[in-house]
Amino acid sequence: MANHSQFGFQDASSPIMEELVEFHDHALMVALAICSLVLYLLALMLMDKLSSNTVDAQEIELIWTILPAIVLIMLALPSLQILYMMDEINEPDLTLKAIGHQWYWTYEYTDFKDLTYDSYMIPTTDLPLGHFRLLEVDHRVVVPMESPIRIIVTANDVLHAWAVPALGVKTDAIPGRLNQTSFITTRPGIFYGQCSEICGANHSYMPIVVESTPLIHFEHWSSLMTS
């Protein structure tokens, strides 16, 4: 959950999000090195008089041609690795289908019989004390912790997007099309997200809440929901 005046990411709760945060920090260090070098060269040009030999040197031209290529490779390789990891769908322990509507979500647990429910935002007037305004729902998405989860995302009317920042998940919900992604929660907790595609007047009123629980608690919850 993000805090007020927070500049960084939310605490990573999945391996993919941990990789994204690490790549973000890596890219920032590269950008910091580039900015420091440029500022140093600008200060050097303003303070010192450069000779024509330095300006026309072939060694300098070779360096400022090869150096940017090396920097791009340093950014491209880890970026491609993370992209492939995000698209990789290993054998999931649970498959969940999320259907976007104006303006609520429908969830179907395809591995269970008749485990389907709608998830609406709780109005501010009915919100229990201590819960988050515009983020809490009446039915959360409950998943087992440390288990590969595949989520199939689609929409029933207009474009939506199923996004949970702490899990590093964002998938477009398109009518007539099935998109899929996967995630693994590394710790128990409650993770909040929202529809990330402008879908109409109440776009900001269809939050997503994922509750990660130990496997034994998930089995107990699923048995109650299907009984």
Side-chain angles (χ1 to χ4, degrees):
M1 183 66 190
N3 300 317
H4 294 290
S5 304
Q6 179 176 336
F7 288 99
F9 291 102
Q10 298 181 25
D11 293 338
S13 301
S14 70
I16 291 296
M17 191 58 192
E18 292 175 0
E19 293 289 337
L20 289 173
V21 172
E22 184 176 350
F23 174 71
H24 171 266
D25 296 340
H26 168 70
L28 278 185
M29 290 299 101
V30 173
L32 179 62
I34 293 174
C35 293
S36 300
L37 178 61
V38 171
L39 288 175
Y40 170 74
L41 293 177
L42 286 174
L44 194 64
M45 293 179 64
L46 292 175
M47 297 173 61
D48 297 336
K49 183 178 180 181
L50 298 179
S51 64
S52 59
N53 295 330
T54 305
V55 175
D56 297 333
Q58 294 183 356
E59 293 81 2
I60 298 297
E61 294 180 1
L62 186 63
I63 290 174
W64 69 44
T65 301
I66 296 179
L67 192 59
I70 296 176
V71 171
L72 290 177
I73 292 174
M74 291 174 57
L75 293 176
L77 291 181
S79 176
L80 291 174
Q81 180 184 11
I82 296 175
L83 285 176
Y84 278 106
M85 291 174 60
M86 295 177 68
D87 287 337
E88 185 71 22
I89 306 292
N90 296 321
E91 297 182 0
D93 292 341
L94 178 69
T95 299
L96 174 67
K97 185 176 182 181
I99 305 173
H101 306 269
Q102 287 182 314
W103 290 271
Y104 64 96
W105 294 95
T106 297
Y107 297 104
E108 299 177 3
Y109 289 77
T110 59
D111 298 305
F112 297 85
K113 184 178 180 180
D114 298 329
L115 183 47
T116 302
Y117 55 85
D118 296 330
S119 179
Y120 290 87
M121 185 196 74
I122 299 179
T124 304
T125 54
D126 301 332
L127 195 66
L129 184 65
H131 288 233
F132 296 106
R133 177 178 172 270
L134 301 181
L135 288 177
E136 194 57 70
V137 295
D138 55 356
H139 292 93
R140 295 170 175 173
V141 181
V142 182
V143 297
M145 181 183 66
E146 296 180 343
S147 298
I149 309 297
R150 175 176 61 185
I151 178 165
I152 300 173
V153 183
T154 186
N156 192 42
D157 36 41
V158 298
L159 293 176
H160 300 278
W162 200 86
V164 182
L167 301 178
V169 176
K170 182 181 183 298
T171 305
D172 290 336
I174 304 173
R177 178 175 177 177
L178 297 177
N179 292 329
Q180 69 174 357
T181 187
S182 65
F183 61 88
I184 301 175
T185 57
T186 56
R187 58 185 175 89
I190 300 174
F191 313 111
Y192 295 90
Q194 289 179 304
C195 175
S196 297
E197 192 75 37
I198 297 178
C199 55
N202 292 332
H203 157 66
S204 59
Y205 299 109
M206 49 183 305
I208 302 160
V209 182
V210 178
E211 182 176 351
S212 173
T213 64
L215 180 59
I216 186 172
H217 294 168
F218 173 78
E219 292 176 344
H220 178 67
W221 172 84
S222 61
S223 63
L224 291 177
M225 294 292 291
T226 54
S227 60

